[in-house]
Each structure stands twice: as structure tokens, then as C-alpha cells.
Amino acid sequence: SFFMRYRNQHLPSLAANSEKKAICILQLFQSACNIKHLGSITPATLSWYAGYLRNKGRSESTIAAHIRTIRSALSWAAKTGL
């Protein structure tokens, strides 16, 4: 899957703490949004996820960090032709 490729091919290039945070964020995003394939992620998906995090009591800075991490992963996917 896209997430496994990103985890195995890109995340190891990050600092250990950054890698761990990105893995946690992407796992939560994938499970919360029931992501089956990359093409199913839309701006509405990200908006829904932000609302999900708000309902869980997460701060706006945490939500912004999650969205940045997800966008970074999607950018990597576009650059690699996924």
C-alpha cells in the first residue's frame, strides 16, 4: 500500500522522533478515514479528519501538524508517480 511504501522508502530519512510521529499520524488517519487507496483521499477527507481530531479534543496546532504530515506524504506520492 501507499502508506507502507512511504513508511519504508521515505520516513527512514527523517529523524527518529519525526519518523515515529509521522507513522502514528498516518496510521490514525488511515484508520479513522478508512483509507483503502490513495485516490480516495480528497480535500473533503482532510476536512473530515480535522473535524474528527477537533471532536477528540486535539488542539489546532496538533491538527495543523497532522494535516501537514498527511500533505507531505501525498506530495511524496505525487513526486514518485503513485
Side-chain angles (χ1 to χ4, degrees):
S1 76
F2 154 70
F3 291 107
M4 288 305 296
R5 284 185 66 184
Y6 185 70
R7 182 178 182 168
N8 294 332
Q9 294 176 11
H10 177 69
L11 291 182
S13 68
L14 303 178
N17 283 342
S18 296
E19 180 181 5
K20 286 178 187 175
K21 285 179 188 177
I23 290 169
C24 289
I25 288 169
L26 292 171
Q27 285 176 337
L28 178 60
F29 175 67
Q30 186 176 14
S31 68
C33 298
N34 196 26
I35 302 298
K36 298 293 184 207
H37 55 86
L38 192 57
S40 67
I41 301 170
T42 66
T45 308
L46 295 177
S47 180
W48 182 90
Y49 182 66
Y52 169 84
L53 293 174
R54 279 186 195 95
N55 288 337
K56 295 285 187 184
R58 304 288 173 92
S59 71
E60 289 302 314
S61 62
T62 296
I63 294 167
H66 279 237
I67 299 301
R68 274 193 311 274
T69 299
I70 295 162
R71 285 186 176 157
S72 176
L74 295 174
S75 177
W76 178 85
K79 288 177 190 173
T80 58
L82 295 178

